[in-house]
Amino acid sequence: MDEVLNSTLRTAVLTRLDYLDSLARDADEPSKAVLADTVISRLTAAWRELLAAHEPDHRGRCRACATRWALRRAECSVWRTAHRHLVTDPVRQSATRGGSAGRHQLRSA
Ligand SMILES: [Zn+2]
């Protein structure tokens, strides 16, 4: 039962992300403004909740990512992903990977 629930939850989340991507890419400007007003705060809240679940301990290790036996080398992929997408300069990030920066850049109207 957990497998079905996890699959359903996963599909719902991925479908929502696809929908938001399509709105950000294809919607008209008023719709994008509404999207920004409603979705950005939900996304930042989601990131904060996720990051709180991965808050490092007093030694800087993430207990959520660590197994009991590998606690010493528990690097948190959630914090690395957050930094890569929320902090790192998308132009420089793209240049180092050789990809297009356009997808990650904020565009003005
Ligand atoms: Zn973690």
Side-chain angles (χ1 to χ4, degrees):
M1 186 66 180
D2 284 344
E3 201 170 298
V4 172
L5 184 61
N6 285 338
S7 176
T8 301
L9 186 142
R10 186 176 152 78
T11 299
V13 170
L14 293 174
T15 299
R16 175 59 64 144
L17 289 173
D18 288 344
Y19 171 70
L20 293 174
D21 278 343
S22 71
L23 282 178
R25 185 182 54 244
D26 302 329
D28 59 17
E29 293 304 319
S31 298
K32 287 181 182 181
V34 170
L35 181 69
D37 285 344
T38 58
V39 175
I40 288 176
S41 64
R42 291 175 66 189
L43 291 177
T44 57
W47 269 108
R48 289 181 197 284
E49 190 173 320
L50 183 60
L51 292 170
H54 289 262
E55 189 64 27
D57 67 12
H58 69 284
R59 295 176 133 172
R61 300 177 302 198
C62 176
R63 293 200 176 270
C65 290
T67 65
R68 181 181 174 138
W69 307 109
L71 188 58
R72 195 168 47 171
R73 57 189 161 99
E75 291 183 23
C76 181
S77 63
V78 171
W79 278 93
R80 281 187 281 132
T81 300
H83 186 269
R84 187 173 67 243
H85 287 278
L86 300 174
V87 178
T88 303
D89 179 4
V91 173
R92 188 174 46 184
Q93 181 184 18
S94 176
T96 59
R97 291 192 313 196
S100 169
R103 183 169 181 218
H104 300 287
Q105 289 179 324
L106 295 175
R107 291 177 289 177
S108 59

